Amino acid sequence: MATTASVLDRYAEYEATIGIEVHVQLMTKSKIFCACDNAPCQEPNRNICDVCSGYPGPLPVLNKQVVDYAILAGLATNCSISPRSYFDRKHYFYPDLPKNYQITQQMEPICHEGFVPIRLDDGQIKKVRLMRIHMEEDAGKNLHSPDGDESFVDLNRTGTPLLEIVSYPDMCNADEAKAYLKALRLLVRYLGICSGNMEEGAFRADTNVSVRKKGAAELGTRCELKNINSFKFIGDAIEYELERQIGLLERGDRVSQETRLWNTRTRETAAMRSKEEVADYRYFEDPDLPLIEINDEWIGRVRKLLPELPHERFNRLCSECGLEPSEAEILVEDVELANYFEQARSTTKSRNLINWVLRDVMAFLKEEKIELIELKMQPDQLATLVDMVDGGVINNRAAQEVFKTVAQTGKDPRGVVKEVGLEQISSVDELEKIVSEVMSENSSQVEAYRQTRNERMFGFFVGAVMKKTGGRANPTVIKELIKKHLQ
Ligand code: ZN
Ligand code: MN
């Protein structure tokens, strides 16, 4: 990631402190406290029952899969797992919250004190510390008619399980905040617990930003930037907020603690509400839900489900497969492409393989507007193709042709080479004959070249020989032969 110009460059005496709370929607089969289907649903108030729509009487029952996913996230972020934790009620009124309280974990979260490693643009690894991860339920959605006359409440989302992942204020600029969010999003996708879809609100970040003079003992007053749904907008909003807060302090004003919204049209943040204090919510332990007791055996069972994590795969791709960090980074962010590469690599150790994957495979998918899964060329077929080029069986030009055919048809690359007659001609005797012919057919050009030694003209002879061989000549061999003839 390139370092972008920041308002902090202009105010060297200030420093920024950024902490982020992320809400991750879990892809469990059912909701957190009832058996309702936990899947997006177009028809409003379809996936609801008396528990998640707040009827009096029915009791919540905790979905064990949510606890498993919370433990998995905790292990993947180096957290301690609490042997005993419980749920609290957080009280507030909003039409999309039918019980008038949200069930969450305030006093004793399931995970605490971990970290997420992020890679900065200079290649350094920084650990962003996590304060806690807790489980909670999502609220429903309020929908407003375009003319503003009517409002509706859709409770399909009510009771969707969430993990709230809270970092320490360890980030000191917009680039670090974005790197952290990207790393965390990739992590939950690797774990298979969240789609990471920001536009649909499956991964939502609340960013707390404050500034202070360097060396000041206390943190500045923070503002919370709520639910911004793209990395770019989050970066822009942080920059805007730093400028606004520094401006206030420079004028001798104070920053007031509040929640602010980012307006993508005006590219400004605007105050939404003053931030509530913890005490305002009148938290207390939910008497309807039992204590959550997690022993080592449970943790051990979940630990077995841990996949290779993004930063681990990154390190392995660099050390074992000899990839450059920039190459490994592209693969790590695209799990299917990384798998494709690794499957091909189990057949060939060619250093050229990665170029074929990142250049030719990606370009082909883009051109044809298809997904990797639809590509007819199997990983081992690409490996065969790369080996044929490396071994001099076909030259690069023919390889492009073979690639296209195999990508479109899934035919065996060796078969395609035979069928179309693309084998490279490397035989010196055979090529010598053709080079001689070209020389005698173009005697005036030969004379001209001997006088000027013009590079372009040399290319003319290479082209002429290639043409006679249907593009199959080994370029290294013919260049040597032509040089000899032109002396
Ligand atoms: Zn329900
Ligand atoms: Mn929350």
Side-chain angles (χ1 to χ4, degrees), residues 175-203:
D175 282 342
E176 288 186 11
K178 282 193 281 185
Y180 167 70
L181 285 170
K182 283 183 183 172
L184 191 60
R185 179 170 168 266
L186 194 60
L187 189 66
V188 295
R189 287 170 56 217
Y190 265 61
L191 297 177
I193 63 176
C194 172
S195 72
N197 190 321
M198 294 174 79
E199 286 196 351
E200 288 171 8
F203 185 94

mmCIF file of all heavy atoms in Angstrom, residues 175-203:
data_model
loop_
_atom_site.group_PDB
_atom_site.id
_atom_site.type_symbol
_atom_site.label_atom_id
_atom_site.label_comp_id
_atom_site.label_asym_id
_atom_site.label_seq_id
_atom_site.Cartn_x
_atom_site.Cartn_y
_atom_site.Cartn_z
ATOM 1 N N ASP A 175 -3.692 5.375 6.662
ATOM 2 C CA ASP A 175 -3.158 4.186 5.986
ATOM 3 C C ASP A 175 -3.129 2.987 6.929
ATOM 4 O O ASP A 175 -3.457 1.860 6.528
ATOM 5 C CB ASP A 175 -1.735 4.454 5.463
ATOM 6 C CG ASP A 175 -1.762 5.273 4.184
ATOM 7 O OD1 ASP A 175 -2.834 5.337 3.543
ATOM 8 O OD2 ASP A 175 -0.714 5.850 3.832
ATOM 9 N N GLU A 176 -2.731 3.227 8.172
ATOM 10 C CA GLU A 176 -2.696 2.119 9.133
ATOM 11 C C GLU A 176 -4.101 1.620 9.437
ATOM 12 O O GLU A 176 -4.328 0.419 9.583
ATOM 13 C CB GLU A 176 -2.004 2.557 10.434
ATOM 14 C CG GLU A 176 -0.506 2.726 10.257
ATOM 15 C CD GLU A 176 0.227 3.013 11.559
ATOM 16 O OE1 GLU A 176 -0.365 2.880 12.647
ATOM 17 O OE2 GLU A 176 1.410 3.370 11.477
ATOM 18 N N ALA A 177 -5.042 2.558 9.538
ATOM 19 C CA ALA A 177 -6.436 2.163 9.810
ATOM 20 C C ALA A 177 -6.958 1.293 8.673
ATOM 21 O O ALA A 177 -7.596 0.257 8.886
ATOM 22 C CB ALA A 177 -7.307 3.404 9.985
ATOM 23 N N LYS A 178 -6.665 1.693 7.441
ATOM 24 C CA LYS A 178 -7.133 0.912 6.282
ATOM 25 C C LYS A 178 -6.438 -0.452 6.245
ATOM 26 O O LYS A 178 -7.069 -1.476 5.968
ATOM 27 C CB LYS A 178 -6.877 1.677 4.982
ATOM 28 C CG LYS A 178 -7.917 2.777 4.740
ATOM 29 C CD LYS A 178 -7.852 3.304 3.325
ATOM 30 C CE LYS A 178 -6.707 4.283 3.154
ATOM 31 N NZ LYS A 178 -6.697 4.909 1.821
ATOM 32 N N ALA A 179 -5.142 -0.475 6.531
ATOM 33 C CA ALA A 179 -4.405 -1.746 6.517
ATOM 34 C C ALA A 179 -4.972 -2.694 7.573
ATOM 35 O O ALA A 179 -5.110 -3.903 7.337
ATOM 36 C CB ALA A 179 -2.910 -1.500 6.773
ATOM 37 N N TYR A 180 -5.324 -2.142 8.729
ATOM 38 C CA TYR A 180 -5.902 -2.974 9.794
ATOM 39 C C TYR A 180 -7.242 -3.555 9.352
ATOM 40 O O TYR A 180 -7.496 -4.754 9.492
ATOM 41 C CB TYR A 180 -6.072 -2.141 11.072
ATOM 42 C CG TYR A 180 -6.933 -2.817 12.111
ATOM 43 C CD1 TYR A 180 -6.481 -3.940 12.801
ATOM 44 C CD2 TYR A 180 -8.212 -2.341 12.404
ATOM 45 C CE1 TYR A 180 -7.277 -4.575 13.742
ATOM 46 C CE2 TYR A 180 -9.018 -2.965 13.339
ATOM 47 C CZ TYR A 180 -8.548 -4.084 14.006
ATOM 48 O OH TYR A 180 -9.339 -4.711 14.926
ATOM 49 N N LEU A 181 -8.092 -2.708 8.792
ATOM 50 C CA LEU A 181 -9.419 -3.174 8.381
ATOM 51 C C LEU A 181 -9.324 -4.217 7.278
ATOM 52 O O LEU A 181 -10.053 -5.212 7.265
ATOM 53 C CB LEU A 181 -10.278 -1.994 7.925
ATOM 54 C CG LEU A 181 -10.793 -1.130 9.074
ATOM 55 C CD1 LEU A 181 -11.427 0.144 8.536
ATOM 56 C CD2 LEU A 181 -11.804 -1.904 9.919
ATOM 57 N N LYS A 182 -8.401 -4.007 6.345
ATOM 58 C CA LYS A 182 -8.227 -4.987 5.264
ATOM 59 C C LYS A 182 -7.746 -6.319 5.831
ATOM 60 O O LYS A 182 -8.219 -7.391 5.431
ATOM 61 C CB LYS A 182 -7.229 -4.459 4.221
ATOM 62 C CG LYS A 182 -7.851 -3.422 3.308
ATOM 63 C CD LYS A 182 -6.884 -2.967 2.227
ATOM 64 C CE LYS A 182 -7.561 -1.873 1.386
ATOM 65 N NZ LYS A 182 -6.625 -1.259 0.443
ATOM 66 N N ALA A 183 -6.801 -6.247 6.766
ATOM 67 C CA ALA A 183 -6.272 -7.485 7.360
ATOM 68 C C ALA A 183 -7.366 -8.224 8.128
ATOM 69 O O ALA A 183 -7.497 -9.447 8.028
ATOM 70 C CB ALA A 183 -5.091 -7.162 8.282
ATOM 71 N N LEU A 184 -8.176 -7.470 8.873
ATOM 72 C CA LEU A 184 -9.216 -8.102 9.685
ATOM 73 C C LEU A 184 -10.307 -8.706 8.799
ATOM 74 O O LEU A 184 -10.797 -9.805 9.049
ATOM 75 C CB LEU A 184 -9.821 -7.053 10.633
ATOM 76 C CG LEU A 184 -10.729 -7.587 11.734
ATOM 77 C CD1 LEU A 184 -9.964 -8.559 12.636
ATOM 78 C CD2 LEU A 184 -11.306 -6.442 12.566
ATOM 79 N N ARG A 185 -10.657 -7.999 7.733
ATOM 80 C CA ARG A 185 -11.693 -8.483 6.826
ATOM 81 C C ARG A 185 -11.231 -9.775 6.142
ATOM 82 O O ARG A 185 -11.964 -10.751 6.038
ATOM 83 C CB ARG A 185 -12.018 -7.403 5.794
ATOM 84 C CG ARG A 185 -13.052 -7.812 4.794
ATOM 85 C CD ARG A 185 -13.483 -6.611 3.972
ATOM 86 N NE ARG A 185 -14.270 -7.024 2.835
ATOM 87 C CZ ARG A 185 -13.766 -7.238 1.638
ATOM 88 N NH1 ARG A 185 -12.477 -7.052 1.404
ATOM 89 N NH2 ARG A 185 -14.537 -7.634 0.658
ATOM 90 N N LEU A 186 -9.970 -9.772 5.697
ATOM 91 C CA LEU A 186 -9.421 -10.966 5.058
ATOM 92 C C LEU A 186 -9.414 -12.136 6.050
ATOM 93 O O LEU A 186 -9.739 -13.270 5.700
ATOM 94 C CB LEU A 186 -8.000 -10.650 4.581
ATOM 95 C CG LEU A 186 -7.361 -11.626 3.607
ATOM 96 C CD1 LEU A 186 -8.177 -11.736 2.334
ATOM 97 C CD2 LEU A 186 -5.935 -11.193 3.280
ATOM 98 N N LEU A 187 -9.077 -11.828 7.281
ATOM 99 C CA LEU A 187 -9.004 -12.863 8.317
ATOM 100 C C LEU A 187 -10.364 -13.537 8.537
ATOM 101 O O LEU A 187 -10.460 -14.763 8.543
ATOM 102 C CB LEU A 187 -8.520 -12.231 9.623
ATOM 103 C CG LEU A 187 -8.188 -13.198 10.754
ATOM 104 C CD1 LEU A 187 -6.991 -14.060 10.390
ATOM 105 C CD2 LEU A 187 -7.899 -12.431 12.042
ATOM 106 N N VAL A 188 -11.428 -12.748 8.689
ATOM 107 C CA VAL A 188 -12.734 -13.377 8.942
ATOM 108 C C VAL A 188 -13.224 -14.142 7.722
ATOM 109 O O VAL A 188 -13.946 -15.139 7.838
ATOM 110 C CB VAL A 188 -13.809 -12.360 9.428
ATOM 111 C CG1 VAL A 188 -13.423 -11.806 10.791
ATOM 112 C CG2 VAL A 188 -14.061 -11.249 8.428
ATOM 113 N N ARG A 189 -12.790 -13.700 6.524
ATOM 114 C CA ARG A 189 -13.156 -14.466 5.326
ATOM 115 C C ARG A 189 -12.390 -15.789 5.286
ATOM 116 O O ARG A 189 -12.931 -16.822 4.912
ATOM 117 C CB ARG A 189 -12.908 -13.644 4.068
ATOM 118 C CG ARG A 189 -13.955 -12.529 3.896
ATOM 119 C CD ARG A 189 -13.598 -11.559 2.789
ATOM 120 N NE ARG A 189 -13.395 -12.215 1.519
ATOM 121 C CZ ARG A 189 -12.475 -11.845 0.642
ATOM 122 N NH1 ARG A 189 -11.695 -10.812 0.879
ATOM 123 N NH2 ARG A 189 -12.348 -12.493 -0.481
ATOM 124 N N TYR A 190 -11.092 -15.766 5.644
ATOM 125 C CA TYR A 190 -10.320 -17.010 5.714
ATOM 126 C C TYR A 190 -10.934 -17.982 6.712
ATOM 127 O O TYR A 190 -10.936 -19.186 6.500
ATOM 128 C CB TYR A 190 -8.860 -16.719 6.111
ATOM 129 C CG TYR A 190 -7.902 -16.582 4.944
ATOM 130 C CD1 TYR A 190 -8.095 -15.576 3.994
ATOM 131 C CD2 TYR A 190 -6.810 -17.425 4.792
ATOM 132 C CE1 TYR A 190 -7.221 -15.438 2.930
ATOM 133 C CE2 TYR A 190 -5.933 -17.288 3.730
ATOM 134 C CZ TYR A 190 -6.136 -16.293 2.802
ATOM 135 O OH TYR A 190 -5.269 -16.155 1.749
ATOM 136 N N LEU A 191 -11.430 -17.426 7.834
ATOM 137 C CA LEU A 191 -12.019 -18.285 8.866
ATOM 138 C C LEU A 191 -13.360 -18.840 8.425
ATOM 139 O O LEU A 191 -13.884 -19.774 9.033
ATOM 140 C CB LEU A 191 -12.188 -17.504 10.176
ATOM 141 C CG LEU A 191 -10.903 -16.997 10.850
ATOM 142 C CD1 LEU A 191 -11.249 -16.191 12.099
ATOM 143 C CD2 LEU A 191 -9.977 -18.154 11.206
ATOM 144 N N GLY A 192 -13.941 -18.221 7.379
ATOM 145 C CA GLY A 192 -15.230 -18.687 6.877
ATOM 146 C C GLY A 192 -16.393 -18.329 7.788
ATOM 147 O O GLY A 192 -17.447 -18.954 7.740
ATOM 148 N N ILE A 193 -16.203 -17.285 8.618
ATOM 149 C CA ILE A 193 -17.270 -16.942 9.558
ATOM 150 C C ILE A 193 -18.080 -15.730 9.106
ATOM 151 O O ILE A 193 -19.137 -15.443 9.655
ATOM 152 C CB ILE A 193 -16.721 -16.703 10.989
ATOM 153 C CG1 ILE A 193 -15.754 -15.509 11.025
ATOM 154 C CG2 ILE A 193 -16.041 -17.959 11.514
ATOM 155 C CD1 ILE A 193 -15.273 -15.183 12.447
ATOM 156 N N CYS A 194 -17.572 -15.001 8.090
ATOM 157 C CA CYS A 194 -18.239 -13.770 7.658
ATOM 158 C C CYS A 194 -17.952 -13.546 6.181
ATOM 159 O O CYS A 194 -16.863 -13.829 5.709
ATOM 160 C CB CYS A 194 -17.703 -12.589 8.483
ATOM 161 S SG CYS A 194 -18.249 -10.960 7.934
ATOM 162 N N SER A 195 -18.934 -13.028 5.448
ATOM 163 C CA SER A 195 -18.727 -12.786 4.013
ATOM 164 C C SER A 195 -17.791 -11.608 3.770
ATOM 165 O O SER A 195 -17.198 -11.490 2.711
ATOM 166 C CB SER A 195 -20.068 -12.507 3.331
ATOM 167 O OG SER A 195 -20.529 -11.212 3.718
ATOM 168 N N GLY A 196 -17.675 -10.713 4.752
ATOM 169 C CA GLY A 196 -16.827 -9.536 4.583
ATOM 170 C C GLY A 196 -17.443 -8.479 3.674
ATOM 171 O O GLY A 196 -16.802 -7.482 3.366
ATOM 172 N N ASN A 197 -18.684 -8.705 3.264
ATOM 173 C CA ASN A 197 -19.312 -7.763 2.332
ATOM 174 C C ASN A 197 -19.672 -6.449 3.037
ATOM 175 O O ASN A 197 -20.585 -6.399 3.856
ATOM 176 C CB ASN A 197 -20.563 -8.401 1.725
ATOM 177 C CG ASN A 197 -21.113 -7.581 0.576
ATOM 178 O OD1 ASN A 197 -21.115 -6.360 0.630
ATOM 179 N ND2 ASN A 197 -21.556 -8.251 -0.472
ATOM 180 N N MET A 198 -18.934 -5.397 2.705
ATOM 181 C CA MET A 198 -19.130 -4.128 3.407
ATOM 182 C C MET A 198 -20.372 -3.401 2.921
ATOM 183 O O MET A 198 -21.036 -2.711 3.687
ATOM 184 C CB MET A 198 -17.892 -3.243 3.242
ATOM 185 C CG MET A 198 -16.678 -3.835 3.940
ATOM 186 S SD MET A 198 -15.174 -2.910 3.629
ATOM 187 C CE MET A 198 -15.368 -1.534 4.761
ATOM 188 N N GLU A 199 -20.660 -3.536 1.625
ATOM 189 C CA GLU A 199 -21.823 -2.822 1.088
ATOM 190 C C GLU A 199 -23.123 -3.346 1.679
ATOM 191 O O GLU A 199 -24.068 -2.591 1.893
ATOM 192 C CB GLU A 199 -21.852 -2.927 -0.433
ATOM 193 C CG GLU A 199 -20.790 -2.044 -1.021
ATOM 194 C CD GLU A 199 -20.979 -1.768 -2.488
ATOM 195 O OE1 GLU A 199 -21.858 -2.408 -3.099
ATOM 196 O OE2 GLU A 199 -20.241 -0.915 -2.996
ATOM 197 N N GLU A 200 -23.159 -4.660 1.945
ATOM 198 C CA GLU A 200 -24.367 -5.235 2.551
ATOM 199 C C GLU A 200 -24.355 -5.124 4.067
ATOM 200 O O GLU A 200 -25.265 -5.622 4.739
ATOM 201 C CB GLU A 200 -24.499 -6.711 2.136
ATOM 202 C CG GLU A 200 -24.885 -6.866 0.681
ATOM 203 C CD GLU A 200 -24.802 -8.315 0.221
ATOM 204 O OE1 GLU A 200 -24.594 -9.209 1.059
ATOM 205 O OE2 GLU A 200 -24.924 -8.536 -1.002
ATOM 206 N N GLY A 201 -23.287 -4.511 4.614
ATOM 207 C CA GLY A 201 -23.233 -4.289 6.062
ATOM 208 C C GLY A 201 -22.799 -5.498 6.856
ATOM 209 O O GLY A 201 -22.984 -5.544 8.066
ATOM 210 N N ALA A 202 -22.203 -6.490 6.186
ATOM 211 C CA ALA A 202 -21.758 -7.685 6.912
ATOM 212 C C ALA A 202 -20.459 -7.420 7.681
ATOM 213 O O ALA A 202 -20.097 -8.180 8.572
ATOM 214 C CB ALA A 202 -21.560 -8.847 5.947
ATOM 215 N N PHE A 203 -19.766 -6.349 7.329
ATOM 216 C CA PHE A 203 -18.508 -5.968 7.990
ATOM 217 C C PHE A 203 -18.544 -4.453 8.149
ATOM 218 O O PHE A 203 -18.404 -3.727 7.171
ATOM 219 C CB PHE A 203 -17.334 -6.423 7.106
ATOM 220 C CG PHE A 203 -15.972 -6.210 7.703
ATOM 221 C CD1 PHE A 203 -15.343 -7.225 8.418
ATOM 222 C CD2 PHE A 203 -15.291 -5.007 7.547
ATOM 223 C CE1 PHE A 203 -14.073 -7.031 8.953
ATOM 224 C CE2 PHE A 203 -14.027 -4.814 8.079
ATOM 225 C CZ PHE A 203 -13.421 -5.831 8.778
#
